[in-house]
Amino acid sequence: MFSNFFQYILSGTATTVSVTLVALPLGLMVALAFSLAYVYGRTPIPAVIGLYSTLMRGVPPIVLLFILYFVVSGSVNLSPFWAGSLSLGIISSAYQLEILRGAILSVSGGQMMAARAIGMSRWRAVRYIVLPQALRLAIPGWSNEASIVLKDSSLVYALGVTEILRRAQQLSATTQNPFLAYSAAALIYFLLVFATNRLLDWIARRTRIPAHF
Amino acid sequence: MAGPILEVRAITKKYGKNIVFQDISTTVNEGETVVVIGPSGTGKSTLLRCINLLTRVDRGQIYLDGREITAPGTDEDEVRQHIGMVFQNFLLFNHLTALDNVQIGLRRVKGMPPETAYQKAMAELERVGLADRAGHYPGQLSGGQQQRVAIARALAMDPRIMLFDEPTSALDPELIGEVLEVMRKLALEGMTMLVVTHEMGFAREVADRIIFMEGGRIVEEGPPEIMFGAPQNARTREFLWKITELYGKHEGQGRGNPG
């Protein structure tokens, strides 16, 4: 009985992981482009991106999720899974953009100047000198955002996607044991977040620049 | 001496109403070492940055090998490849080893194949005496070693002229000598150099010509014998007297041979 119970919730885990694996990289790609445009873009661009970031971060994710879901699914025919994942990715892009922007600005301007001095174009200097250092600096903040997206993926439950929380709720209803059902969900989330953070810690250690602070 | 490599014609740089320097004109010939001295805040560093096109001049022209590089439409990235720059605070790329610092311009700017770039970079590190530190990151090198790697990085691009912006000012006294030694060697090898420095021993020994700048203008210029022996201008005399009193002491201890 118990193993069935656990297996049932576990089958929602694949969906949770999938939602996260769509939302996080999507958010990262958008954030990377936007953060570069924010820092290096010409006059109206930083202001526009700043507004995007402020609006996205100023509204609860669940509210944005509903808005984006109805906008997205109103214009294209998408399953709740895809609409939810894409929406979460867009929300996350605003946070990731701020993480990356901070990291890019933390790389001293001298690095850019030295790169230009050997004849690198602005773009090459960003690509080969600034970004490799900025991305390293961004890992701790990004690790935090990754765990938030992983946990926020439970929000797509509201769209009817059967991920961990949805499964737990169904079990709670059928077994009349909500404590056990939700505790099992909590445990799975915790293990996923824990593993993600450990993985990123490991990457941070592996890519550390020797004797550099 | 061969013809001019760098020619600066009446350049002026302003930040708003604040004039950094005005109507500066000078020429650096091939193989020549020109040292710029003067009190801080007189626009010496800005002058170097303008020559390297890292900062735009407000008026005047700069010519490199007879070609105007301040002309509109100039490919500035291409120009900078031919002008080596060494900064006061080294500015090595923090995430790269000494070897990669020297190599990256060859790989990513000149598009050299990896093997050729490696050979060239190692040769440049050899030139500054740091081949055995090739695998070290900037944080694992002393200030003097970092500055020598920075010199190798600039040299690797085979520049027509090397600009030095107070290359020893950020160094502990005991590390200055090794950097000046490399620069002295470069001058002897016939590298064209424009050096901003307070190292009077180096200026006296290595410079073909010394430019004294103050208040955004060239006050006086001439060969070291005259500038140190019998400067014409009262301000030059005063400055040299002050700076020799300040830095003079450790000069006798092996760095730079006066006269």
Side-chain angles (χ1 to χ4, degrees):
Chain A
M1 154 68 197
F2 181 78
S3 85
N4 273 347
F5 183 96
F6 210 75
Q7 251 170 18
Y8 187 71
I9 291 190
L10 216 54
S11 67
T13 306
T15 310
T16 291
V17 171
S18 305
V19 169
T20 308
L21 286 182
V22 172
L24 257 186
L26 172 75
L28 180 60
M29 282 187 296
V30 173
L32 197 56
F34 279 19
S35 60
L36 289 174
Y38 203 151
V39 177
Y40 298 109
R42 280 174 207 280
T43 334
I45 299 172
V48 172
I49 293 171
L51 185 68
Y52 170 84
S53 163
T54 308
L55 288 179
M56 284 293 178
R57 290 178 303 129
V59 179
I62 185 78
V63 178
L64 272 178
L65 190 65
F66 280 131
I67 295 174
L68 288 169
Y69 175 65
F70 290 116
V71 170
V72 170
S73 61
S75 42
V76 263
N77 190 16
L78 280 180
S79 66
F81 169 83
W82 280 104
S85 306
L86 295 182
S87 302
L88 278 179
I90 292 169
I91 296 167
S92 174
S93 74
Y95 293 90
Q96 296 191 51
L97 140 66
E98 293 297 336
I99 293 167
L100 289 176
R101 181 170 76 113
I104 291 170
L105 291 176
S106 304
V107 177
S108 94
Q111 295 285 305
M112 171 63 94
M113 188 163 64
R116 300 305 301 273
I118 56 169
M120 282 196 187
S121 64
R122 221 160 128 88
W123 166 241
R124 284 200 176 134
V126 168
R127 162 80 179 73
Y128 295 111
I129 305 301
V130 178
L131 268 187
Q133 297 182 54
L135 290 178
R136 286 173 164 95
L137 290 171
I139 295 176
W142 199 81
S143 172
N144 194 34
E145 174 62 13
S147 39
I148 289 173
V149 171
L150 191 54
K151 289 180 289 179
D152 278 359
S153 71
S154 60
L155 297 175
V156 300
Y157 148 90
L159 306 177
V161 180
T162 45
E163 39 67 79
I164 298 173
L165 183 61
R166 183 78 171 178
R167 295 276 180 173
Q169 194 228 8
Q170 287 164 349
L171 268 183
S172 154
T174 52
T175 62
Q176 298 294 313
N177 193 343
F179 179 77
L180 194 57
Y182 291 121
S183 297
L187 178 65
I188 296 171
Y189 277 120
F190 174 78
L191 291 175
L192 287 175
V193 169
F194 184 73
T196 306
N197 288 343
R198 291 303 295 267
L199 173 69
L200 285 163
D201 282 353
W202 178 78
I203 292 173
R205 273 199 309 277
R206 280 289 305 268
T207 55
R208 226 185 104 251
I209 302 165
H212 177 62
F213 306 100
Chain B
M1 195 155 286
I5 291 220
L6 177 77
E7 206 185 334
V8 173
R9 279 191 207 161
I11 59 170
T12 296
K13 177 67 193 173
K14 292 181 280 195
Y15 285 116
K17 280 190 176 163
N18 176 31
I19 296 169
V20 184
F21 54 75
Q22 197 164 16
D23 283 332
I24 299 282
S25 297
T26 194
T27 301
V28 182
N29 291 312
E30 184 152 18
E32 206 179 17
T33 297
V34 175
V35 170
V36 184
I37 59 172
S40 18
T42 43
K44 305 183 303 285
S45 296
T46 312
L47 176 67
L48 291 192
R49 277 173 202 199
C50 284
I51 292 171
N52 203 16
L53 306 181
L54 288 169
T55 305
R56 212 174 285 273
V57 292
D58 293 299
R59 258 188 297 131
Q61 300 87 38
I62 301 169
Y63 295 83
L64 184 71
D65 278 319
R67 178 167 68 113
E68 191 193 341
I69 57 174
T70 39
T74 305
D75 182 352
E76 300 187 351
D77 297 331
E78 198 271 334
V79 170
R80 287 195 203 95
Q81 288 182 43
H82 307 296
I83 304 176
M85 180 91 171
V86 175
F87 301 93
Q88 183 175 347
N89 46 352
F90 332 133
L91 298 182
L92 287 183
F93 305 130
N94 294 317
H95 63 305
L96 300 177
T97 61
L99 175 67
D100 285 337
N101 261 280
V102 181
Q103 238 185 160
I104 194 154
L106 300 172
R107 296 278 293 115
R108 303 301 178 192
V109 179
K110 291 200 165 183
M112 256 186 205
E115 187 55 31
T116 328
Y118 171 81
Q119 300 293 348
K120 170 87 173 146
M122 282 307 289
E124 296 301 346
L125 282 176
E126 190 75 59
R127 205 167 162 191
V128 299
L130 286 173
D132 59 331
R133 294 285 186 278
H136 286 55
Y137 285 84
Q140 298 168 320
L141 298 170
S142 73
Q145 291 171 334
Q146 287 188 55
Q147 192 60 298
R148 283 148 70 198
V149 173
I151 293 173
R153 173 176 71 182
L155 287 174
M157 301 302 286
D158 287 327
R160 296 289 290 149
I161 183 169
M162 286 280 284
L163 310 178
F164 293 84
D165 184 8
E166 300 200 26
T168 57
S169 296
L171 292 173
D172 289 338
E174 76 269 23
L175 302 176
I176 293 176
E178 60 188 79
V179 173
L180 291 181
E181 197 47 56
V182 167
M183 291 169 64
R184 191 175 288 130
K185 206 177 94 190
L186 283 181
L188 285 176
E189 287 170 11
M191 173 60 71
T192 311
M193 316 206 296
L194 182 58
V195 185
V196 171
T197 187
H198 292 299
E199 294 293 330
M200 292 304 138
F202 176 84
R204 199 186 281 233
E205 186 201 353
V206 181
D208 297 298
R209 187 153 45 92
I210 291 174
I211 296 176
F212 174 57
M213 261 180 88
E214 192 182 42
R217 289 175 181 280
I218 293 181
V219 175
E220 187 172 355
E221 61 181 304
E225 308 83 71
I226 298 201
M227 292 292 278
F228 282 102
Q232 303 300 299
N233 190 292
R235 280 299 301 138
T236 316
R237 267 200 300 278
E238 196 181 324
F239 175 78
L240 283 174
W241 184 79
K242 266 190 202 157
I243 201 120
T244 316
E245 183 173 73
L246 189 66
Y247 290 87
K249 267 190 180 156
H250 52 240
E251 242 168 50
Q253 301 169 354
R255 306 190 281 118
N257 233 339

